[in-house]
Amino acid sequence: MLSNHFQNGMESARLVWSQLPNSEEGEFDEVGFPKRSDSTAVESVDYEVIENYAYREEQERRGRLFVGYQVSLKWFLALLIGIGTGVAAIFINISVENFAGWKFALTFAIIQKSYFAGLLIYVLFNLALVFSSVYIVTRFAPAAAGSGIPEIKGYLNGIDVHGILLFRTLVGKIFGSIGSVGGGLALGKEGPLVHIGACIASLLGQGGSTKYHLSSRWLQGFNSDRDRRDLVTCGCAAGVAAAFRAPVGGVLFALEEVTSWWRSQLMWRVFFTSAVVAVVVRTAMAWCKSGKCGHFGAGGFIIWDISDGQEDYSFAELLPMAVIGVIGGLLGALFNQLTRYITYWRRNYLHKKGARVKIIEICVISVITSAISFGLPLLRKCSPCPESEVECPNPPGMYGNYVNFYCHNDKEYNDLATIFFNTQDDAIRNLFSAKTIHEYSAQSLLTFLVMFYTLAVVTFGTAVPAGQFVPGIMIGSTYGRLVGMFVVSFYKKPNIEEGTYALLGAASFLGGSMRVTVSLCVIMVEISNNLKFLPLIMLVLLISKAVGDAFNDGLYEEQARLRGIPLLDSRPKYQMRRMTALEGCRTRKVVSLPRVIKVLDLVSILRCNKHNGFPVIDHTRSGETLVIGLMLRSHLLVLLQSKVDFQHSSLPSDSRGGSFPIRHNNSEFIKPVSSKGLSLEDIHLSQDDLEMYIDLAPFLNPSPYIVPEDMSLTKVYNLFRQLGLRHVLVVPKPSRVLGLITRKDLLIEDDDNSETELQSTSVSSQHHSRSALTRNADVGQPLLNGLLMQNNL
């Protein structure tokens, strides 16, 4: 009977394996990387408000009650984002801790009878969890692989990678993180939690997932990319707050690292979301203290309280602390460079062979990681327990220091097993611990540093959800503890704690690798619960970031570049100072559309060009050509699919008097987030349809951002990035000026009729007059020299 079950299990495994594709299909060609051959896999986001005729009519119909409803809905969604992200973090942590607890308890029970049997159980347990993770990612959610922070950073920077914010990506990220972290790989769950928070925020912002019939029309109040961007920012902050129980650090991380656009109203909602996460997490931890969560107890949420650690520090200790900063910068820059090379090799050689190769790769890494963490502690001799009042020894994985791993004496512990044969959270807690001088030998720490550093480099970039916060803290705290051991033996002061230097080492490596300073400083203070270390953390972060910047960019910027995500940095390149806007267009031919265009001609233009923006031109009675606006490709496709705006006449639709007919809602032109949207192949037109005409005037953006041809490319870059633009029109020098707006003109106060009036200084021949607010220096531009897009910058 047992053999029958075994055969059935083998048959099931063969069936699963046979269903895996030999080559990549869908949107991604390897670890969540968009295909380079598909130019639509990465697309810019339209953060600019398209103030066309339909939009203005819709705004006029809305009153104060609707505005109040939208504001209330934003706060309600912020509440739901905090609750959802907190619940997801609780579920992941409880699952990981219980899997780890069962694994260590079973292995420790078997190892007392047979070492090889214990090793086999340990390896197979980890292998099963890792296989479940990589299978979910490769078969169900390829965009769930990796950290997710580079993709989310790209989205908030104005680049949408298809698939990163979908419901299946959320599910794959949650369950994939449980398998990869619970399987003992050298990676963490903190980066994936940021991605999870962003997915929850995006799904709530669009009312759920219509594909899986999990949607609510009551939440579908925000259809613009600008509103979704604010919600995703709240989700990123919620993810960091849930991962580290650091609400203030989450707000600062969203501000410093991921978002490119910020305002005070968004700050309040982000702070509120992080506070909700903190309440949810605290409530869950209080509930789990009664033993209802299994092995989830003192561990789980990573917060390492060292408030009882070193009380003070001397001026002489600043030198070794500065050395820690230098080491962190060097090792962090080396980590970025090595992961860049390995990821490039995976992308271009290994992962092109298909999903099966991805599964084999991560399974081999899992077996090697399990064998190293199980076998290396045997090379170290057990040490006698200290004579202090600490509990010694402890079984592996039971949230304690001084782990007894295959020691012959009951009063001995294995220092290498204390950090290697343990969960990462508990290992960090052991390295940060105070009053534990001489717990670790220098040989054990060096062995762990070399092996774990190598495993972290090799594991990063595989086809599983992987974060680098906790592995970075592990690496940094190890060499920090080594420096602390030297300081203790050199200065011979009783108040020096090795755990203090472990904390500083963790901060230095994260600063040297990720190049995050302010938010990371606050996060380290919040998780250590010791404000006295704030100046020291600031010191090592500044040094490590300066050293790392001398070699390469931060980890997220390097990975975004490898993924083909064109991020716009906060500062323009130096050579842009000597370039003009016209030179920045790179002599790219501008494809313009007439105001009234034949459907056949429009389809031909869309088929021959991949542009996403088309200037629309019109002619005056005198024959002069004017640019009347900008038309988006996605809007054109909506018009072609609906066909309701087709007309037989080639004349403008308002030429016979009256206003434009309104046949569309503004929400119809919004592309679903993280999807390819409508394509020309999805539209079916008859021969009669191709002979019809479309008047583009009601649907174009009549007031796009325009710059003169001789403006420096640096100013264009700053305008483009700070406003979150997708297109900027480049025109010749204006022939005349209609008005001049100053700060005084923008200080508008509401009157009793809730109407606003703009006073502007108008330039005319010898007198002043009022003028309407306009972003263009001229109502129409006679010529168009170029069209600047994100790729040009």
Side-chain angles (χ1 to χ4, degrees):
M1 186 174 180
L2 182 61
S3 62
N4 292 335
H5 284 294
F6 180 76
Q7 291 178 358
N8 292 335
M10 293 298 296
E11 289 297 330
S12 300
R14 291 193 189 99
L15 178 61
V16 170
W17 184 260
S18 64
Q19 293 176 349
L20 292 175
N22 289 321
S23 60
E24 284 304 307
E25 300 174 356
E27 302 165 328
F28 299 85
D29 63 352
E30 63 262 343
V31 191
F33 291 170
K35 291 184 178 179
R36 286 186 176 276
S37 60
D38 184 7
S39 61
T40 63
V42 176
E43 185 179 353
S44 296
V45 183
D46 297 307
Y47 286 146
E48 181 185 359
V49 177
I50 308 300
E51 298 178 342
N52 53 26
Y53 188 80
Y55 172 81
R56 293 179 177 178
E57 287 290 327
E58 184 176 306
Q59 293 298 314
E60 289 181 2
R61 292 196 301 266
R62 293 177 176 179
R64 289 184 177 270
L65 184 61
F66 183 82
V67 174
Y69 165 75
Q70 279 204 318
V71 173
S72 303
L73 183 59
K74 287 182 179 180
W75 285 98
F76 181 66
L77 289 177
L79 174 66
L80 294 182
I81 292 170
I83 296 175
T85 307
V87 171
I90 293 165
F91 175 72
I92 292 175
N93 279 273
I94 291 178
S95 302
V96 169
E97 289 294 320
N98 278 282
F99 278 125
W102 297 332
K103 174 178 62 179
F104 286 119
L106 180 61
T107 305
F108 186 71
I110 296 177
I111 202 178
Q112 307 301 323
K113 302 177 182 179
S114 172
Y115 170 78
F116 291 103
L119 172 61
L120 182 62
I121 292 298
Y122 183 73
V123 171
L124 291 179
F125 202 111
N126 285 335
L127 186 60
L129 289 173
V130 172
F131 178 80
S132 66
S133 175
V134 69
Y135 185 80
I136 290 172
V137 170
T138 54
R139 287 291 295 166
F140 183 66
S147 168
I149 293 182
E151 289 83 359
I152 299 303
K153 185 173 182 178
Y155 180 80
L156 295 177
N157 193 259
I159 296 295
D160 187 10
V161 180
H162 297 154
I164 62 170
L165 296 175
L166 300 181
F167 178 74
R168 58 188 172 95
T169 303
L170 171 64
V171 175
K173 206 78 174 184
I174 293 175
F175 289 97
S177 298
I178 294 173
S180 60
V181 178
L185 295 177
L187 44 82
K189 55 186 177 293
E190 289 66 36
L193 272 174
V194 176
H195 193 179
I196 289 170
C199 289
I200 293 174
S202 177
L203 289 171
L204 288 174
Q206 59 186 354
S209 174
T210 56
K211 180 179 180 180
Y212 298 98
H213 305 288
L214 298 173
S215 60
S216 173
R217 64 183 183 89
W218 298 104
L219 299 178
Q220 297 175 357
F222 303 103
N223 296 315
S224 67
D225 290 321
R226 182 184 293 259
D227 292 328
R228 291 172 182 169
R229 174 182 59 183
D230 293 349
L231 294 175
V232 170
T233 304
C234 293
C236 292
V240 176
F244 296 103
R245 278 174 35 191
V248 179
V251 175
L252 294 178
F253 182 83
L255 170 62
E256 178 184 7
E257 184 60 22
V258 292
T259 188
S260 302
W261 189 81
W262 198 263
R263 68 180 191 274
S264 59
Q265 295 93 333
L266 180 60
M267 170 75 80
W268 282 106
R269 285 196 294 273
V270 171
F271 187 77
F272 173 72
T273 306
S274 299
V276 172
V277 172
V279 173
V280 173
V281 171
R282 292 280 183 177
T283 304
M285 292 192 66
W287 185 72
C288 288
K289 284 183 178 179
S290 59
K292 300 178 181 178
C293 300
H295 291 275
F296 182 82
F301 286 100
I302 51 175
I303 180 168
W304 305 287
D305 192 348
I306 55 174
S307 57
D308 59 344
Q310 186 171 335
E311 294 291 337
D312 200 2
Y313 50 89
S314 61
F315 182 79
E317 293 182 64
L318 295 181
L319 179 59
M321 292 175 182
V323 172
I324 290 179
V326 175
I327 296 174
L330 294 175
L331 291 181
L334 179 62
F335 183 88
N336 294 355
Q337 202 69 22
L338 291 177
T339 53
R340 178 184 178 185
Y341 290 148
I342 294 177
T343 305
Y344 180 82
W345 174 75
R346 280 194 179 106
R347 175 184 177 88
N348 291 279
Y349 300 100
L350 185 62
H351 286 172
K352 282 188 175 182
K353 299 178 180 180
R356 295 182 181 180
V357 176
K358 298 178 184 180
I359 295 178
I360 294 174
E361 177 198 21
I362 191 60
C363 288
V364 170
I365 293 176
S366 174
V367 172
I368 295 175
T369 302
S370 301
I372 290 176
S373 61
F374 197 96
L376 277 184
L378 294 177
L379 303 179
R380 294 293 306 165
K381 293 182 179 179
C382 293
S383 305
C385 291
E387 298 179 355
S388 58
E389 298 180 356
V390 297
E391 184 179 354
C392 177
N394 288 293
M398 295 301 172
Y399 322 116
N401 245 333
Y402 303 101
V403 171
N404 184 326
F405 183 79
Y406 221 64
C407 295
H408 299 289
N409 194 333
D410 291 339
K411 284 298 181 181
E412 290 182 341
Y413 74 98
N414 191 313
D415 60 343
L416 191 55
T418 302
I419 52 178
F420 229 140
F421 196 67
N422 214 333
T423 62
Q424 293 183 19
D425 296 350
D426 295 322
I428 295 172
R429 187 175 291 106
N430 297 338
L431 289 170
F432 282 2
S433 60
K435 310 296 188 295
T436 55
I437 295 178
H438 307 306
E439 178 183 0
Y440 305 97
S441 63
Q443 295 85 350
S444 297
L445 291 178
L446 280 174
T447 302
F448 177 79
L449 176 62
V450 173
M451 297 307 302
F452 193 84
Y453 190 95
T454 304
L455 290 173
V457 170
V458 174
T459 308
F460 187 81
T462 52
V464 292
Q468 278 305 114
F469 271 103
V470 168
I473 293 175
M474 288 278 288
I475 295 170
S477 57
T478 305
Y479 68 73
R481 185 109 186 178
L482 275 170
V483 175
M485 292 173 60
F486 169 77
V487 173
V488 169
S489 61
F490 183 81
Y491 289 104
K492 301 184 184 305
K493 293 183 179 180
N495 65 324
I496 298 179
E497 291 286 352
E498 298 175 3
T500 301
Y501 288 84
L503 173 68
L504 298 179
S508 69
F509 185 82
L510 293 179
S513 176
M514 300 178 183
R515 314 293 160 79
V516 186
T517 53
V518 178
S519 59
L520 181 58
C521 182
V522 175
I523 289 174
M524 297 303 292
V525 170
E526 287 187 282
I527 64 178
S528 63
N529 195 24
N530 197 328
L531 194 59
K532 298 177 183 178
F533 297 149
L534 178 61
L536 304 181
I537 296 175
M538 295 172 64
L539 173 66
V540 298
L541 280 176
L542 290 172
I543 296 176
S544 63
K545 185 182 185 304
V547 173
D549 285 338
F551 295 95
N552 49 35
D553 292 329
L555 178 65
Y556 301 137
E557 287 76 13
E558 293 282 358
Q559 294 300 315
R561 190 176 298 114
L562 285 174
R563 284 162 167 77
I565 303 175
L567 293 178
L568 292 181
D569 297 330
S570 58
R571 293 181 300 177
K573 301 297 183 182
Y574 180 78
Q575 55 267 29
M576 288 186 177
R577 300 180 180 179
R578 299 187 296 269
M579 298 177 62
T580 63
L582 183 60
E583 296 171 342
C585 296
R586 299 180 183 176
T587 66
R588 178 175 295 163
K589 183 180 178 180
V590 180
V591 180
S592 301
L593 303 176
R595 171 180 173 176
V596 182
I597 185 172
K598 194 174 183 179
V599 174
L600 178 62
D601 297 335
L602 179 59
V603 172
S604 177
I605 292 175
L606 294 178
R607 196 181 303 276
C608 297
N609 297 277
K610 297 298 182 182
H611 302 322
N612 288 291
F614 300 90
V616 179
I617 59 175
D618 198 6
H619 300 279
T620 62
R621 294 180 180 179
S622 60
E624 184 181 6
T625 301
L626 296 178
V627 178
I628 62 174
L630 182 71
M631 194 73 189
L632 296 180
R633 182 187 190 92
S634 59
H635 292 192
L636 292 172
L637 293 176
V638 172
L639 296 179
L640 289 177
Q641 186 188 43
S642 65
K643 304 180 184 180
V644 297
D645 296 284
F646 290 1
Q647 61 184 36
H648 295 280
S649 173
S650 60
L651 298 176
S653 58
D654 62 338
S655 60
R656 292 176 295 272
S659 59
F660 295 111
I662 302 177
R663 303 186 182 97
H664 298 275
N665 294 324
N666 192 49
S667 58
E668 297 180 28
F669 296 98
I670 305 299
K671 183 180 75 70
V673 66
S674 288
S675 66
K676 293 183 178 180
L678 192 63
S679 64
L680 192 61
E681 289 73 19
D682 301 327
I683 301 174
H684 304 283
L685 299 172
S686 64
Q687 189 62 35
D688 294 336
D689 294 332
L690 295 176
E691 298 298 325
M692 303 286 280
Y693 293 87
I694 302 179
D695 186 2
L696 302 179
F699 313 104
L700 56 81
N701 183 4
S703 55
Y705 286 90
I706 294 177
V707 297
E709 59 182 340
D710 57 350
M711 177 182 286
S712 69
L713 198 57
T714 300
K715 295 176 67 174
V716 178
Y717 185 98
N718 294 328
L719 175 72
F720 202 97
R721 187 181 186 276
Q722 293 174 8
L723 296 180
L725 303 181
R726 187 173 184 177
H727 304 94
V728 172
L729 300 182
V730 181
V731 299
K733 291 183 178 180
S735 59
R736 59 196 180 96
V737 179
L738 293 183
L740 182 65
I741 295 178
T742 63
R743 179 186 298 268
K744 181 180 178 181
D745 303 318
L746 301 177
L747 300 177
I748 303 175
E749 297 182 359
D750 293 340
D751 57 12
D752 295 337
N753 298 324
S754 301
E755 296 178 350
T756 57
E757 186 179 30
L758 176 66
Q759 300 285 341
S760 66
T761 306
S762 181
V763 180
S764 59
S765 55
Q766 308 299 328
H767 71 276
H768 300 278
S769 62
R770 297 180 183 270
S771 66
L773 175 61
T774 176
R775 276 177 286 183
N776 303 348
D778 221 334
V779 175
Q781 296 296 338
L783 293 174
L784 183 67
N785 283 350
L787 181 63
L788 272 176
M789 296 177 291
Q790 186 155 15
N791 293 337
N792 301 106
L793 301 177

